[in-house]
Amino acid sequence: MNFMQGISAHLVRADGAAETLLDERLDSVFSNRPLKGDELAARFRLSPGERATLYISYWSGGATNLPLAVVTEDRFLGSLASDAARHYAFYGMMSLLALAGLICAWLIRQRVFLSFSAYAASVALYVAHMDGAAFHHLWPGNPA
């Protein structure tokens, strides 16, 4: 949850009917999310001309802002695909840098290349954490 310790979204329709769209906490499991992307998202439908109020509350121990967007499902899924391609290209390049450092350490016998490999791997892990990919792939059952 990228510094988000909790977030919930509730939709209140014009007739007063309320529904909880999203309720994520530190002990939430990734597989229980309504939509399985790295982004926090919830699905809801409105009829043409229907009015409703969307309430969002969150608790953050480090984030100073929370970018929000209400988009169609097609646009959301399209942005997930393009973001994933960009992120995994970055992870691939960082993996190649780490591997190159290990190969250089073995061939040239200079320990500085091990430090370079560790640096490249730690940057990739940090970015994966910030993107939400680490939570999704490395420890989906333990977000805390």
Side-chain angles (χ1 to χ4, degrees):
M1 280 196 277
N2 297 348
F3 303 110
M4 301 302 302
Q5 282 76 23
I7 185 169
S8 60
H10 308 277
L11 186 70
V12 179
R13 300 193 184 271
D15 64 0
E19 97 184 79
T20 298
L21 303 173
L22 182 69
D23 190 18
E24 296 291 325
R25 303 282 173 235
L26 282 176
D27 59 350
S28 298
V29 179
F30 186 85
S31 61
N32 293 339
R33 286 183 174 191
L35 295 172
K36 303 301 188 251
D38 294 339
E39 303 290 331
L40 290 168
R43 181 181 288 125
F44 65 93
R45 297 196 189 283
L46 295 175
S47 301
E50 181 182 4
R51 296 178 64 101
T53 304
L54 182 62
Y55 292 97
I56 298 173
S57 65
Y58 68 94
W59 170 45
S60 169
T64 57
N65 64 6
L66 177 65
L68 297 173
V70 177
V71 297
T72 64
E73 187 171 352
D74 289 339
R75 182 167 176 192
F76 175 73
L77 294 175
S79 70
L80 279 182
S82 65
D83 286 350
R86 187 177 71 250
H87 293 161
Y88 291 116
F90 170 79
Y91 302 139
M93 293 305 294
M94 293 304 289
S95 298
L96 286 175
L97 286 174
L99 181 61
L102 291 175
I103 291 170
C104 287
W106 180 67
L107 290 175
I108 301 173
R109 307 280 188 225
Q110 294 290 321
R111 292 186 348 177
V112 71
F113 292 109
L114 292 176
S115 299
F116 177 78
S117 291
Y119 173 75
S122 65
V123 167
L125 185 59
Y126 175 75
V127 172
H129 158 71
M130 294 303 294
D131 290 342
F135 168 57
H136 182 172
H137 298 292
L138 299 178
W139 45 81
N142 188 12

